[in-house]
Amino acid sequence: MAEETLHAPMPGAARLAEPLRSRWSPSVFDAAHRLPADDITTLLHAAQWAPSQGNLQPWRYVVCERGGVAHAVLVPHLSRGNSGWVPRASLVLLALTQVADDPHRAPDAKPVDPAVNLYCTGQATAHLTLQAHAMGLYAHQFQGFDKEAVADGLGCPAHWQLVAGIAVGVRGDPAEVSERDQERDRRVRSRKDLAEIAYGDAWGAPWSPGRMAP
Ligand SMILES: Cc1cc2nc3c(=O)[nH]c(=O)nc-3n(C[C@H](O)[C@H](O)[C@H](O)COP(=O)(O)O)c2cc1C
């Protein structure tokens, strides 16, 4: 199967706008590719300009460039499944969200709502990943790593929680990676039906398209 047929667009995605339509998460990155600093800055601007409740922007990103200090902190703590493909990416960004009040907050500061902050951080990260794809790059998010050990190694304060990593880069040669990563890269993408995720008249009652008069 041709690569573009295998990965995207998938059924139902054909009418989506780019870069949503063709986004997917590869597991084969080009380990020789380096991302220019300007491109990294642009990715961070995409997260910076995401909406957030009260414009609080409750996210932080640690930039892990291959060969850099933060990258060296991360790599030994990757899960077995992620340890092959993540280090080959040109860049890893680590996303953190504020989960508790800053011990030095102003007395009149609003208390932190960790659920809303997590929602906002996910949204900022989504913007970042789509910006990456619009720039001809690929992004693959991952949770499989020892987040506490990495947060500790980076000196992150306790009221910030490390939630995910985002590996960014360009596609590499599958022949250079393990059979397992090749298999992951070729995996057929699938989704739940809309009837399972979109409700109409009540919880669990699938929304039916075209039921209302236009
Ligand atoms: C929060 C989050 C955590 C993820 N963790 C991992 C991970 O640890 N390892 C991995 O290979 N993929 C991980 N993924 C990627 C998902 O498996 C992938 O997005 C999903 O299978 C859908 O595929 P697609 O992105 O190609 O549409 C993660 C994605 C998200 C959003």
Side-chain angles (χ1 to χ4, degrees):
M1 202 187 289
E3 180 164 295
E4 56 281 8
T5 318
L6 180 62
H7 297 299
M10 301 305 275
R15 295 183 64 191
L16 300 185
E18 288 293 0
L20 294 162
R21 193 174 74 95
S22 62
R23 184 212 62 82
W24 64 284
S25 305
S27 302
V28 180
F29 285 103
D30 178 353
H33 177 263
R34 296 206 78 85
L35 209 51
D38 278 358
D39 286 357
I40 300 174
T41 305
T42 302
L43 295 175
L44 294 169
H45 280 316
Q48 179 183 35
W49 282 101
S52 60
Q53 189 254 334
N55 198 20
L56 288 178
Q57 304 158 62
W59 50 72
R60 299 289 183 272
Y61 293 91
V62 176
V63 179
C64 307
E65 295 181 71
R66 255 198 339 253
V69 174
H71 198 267
V73 171
L74 167 69
V75 168
H77 298 295
L78 291 168
S79 67
R80 209 162 70 83
N82 291 337
S83 61
W85 63 269
V86 172
R88 292 176 56 91
S90 316
L91 171 76
V92 176
L93 295 162
L94 298 175
L96 295 96
T97 195
Q98 188 172 358
V99 288
D101 294 323
D102 186 330
H104 306 297
R105 70 190 180 282
D108 59 345
K110 268 183 67 178
V112 159
D113 183 334
V116 172
N117 284 357
L118 188 58
Y119 180 96
C120 295
T121 301
Q123 181 157 202
T125 299
H127 286 208
L128 188 157
T129 59
L130 290 168
Q131 177 64 34
H133 198 51
M135 291 161 66
L137 301 165
Y138 285 91
H140 186 156
Q141 297 172 69
F142 60 94
Q143 280 246 333
F145 63 107
D146 184 341
K147 298 178 205 80
E148 280 181 17
V150 174
D152 212 36
L154 294 170
C156 304
H159 56 294
W160 285 86
Q161 189 181 325
L162 182 45
V163 282
I166 309 118
V168 181
V170 298
R171 296 270 294 138
D173 180 356
E176 290 178 9
V177 308
S178 67
E179 180 52 42
R180 182 183 154 120
D181 286 340
Q182 288 184 36
E183 185 279 322
R184 185 192 302 260
D185 199 72
R186 286 195 304 264
R187 211 171 275 171
V188 176
R189 299 174 63 235
S190 64
R191 289 300 189 262
K192 294 177 173 143
D193 286 338
L194 277 194
E196 201 179 332
I197 65 161
Y199 302 148
D201 293 340
W203 175 264
W207 168 75
S208 32
R211 203 166 58 96
M212 307 291 281

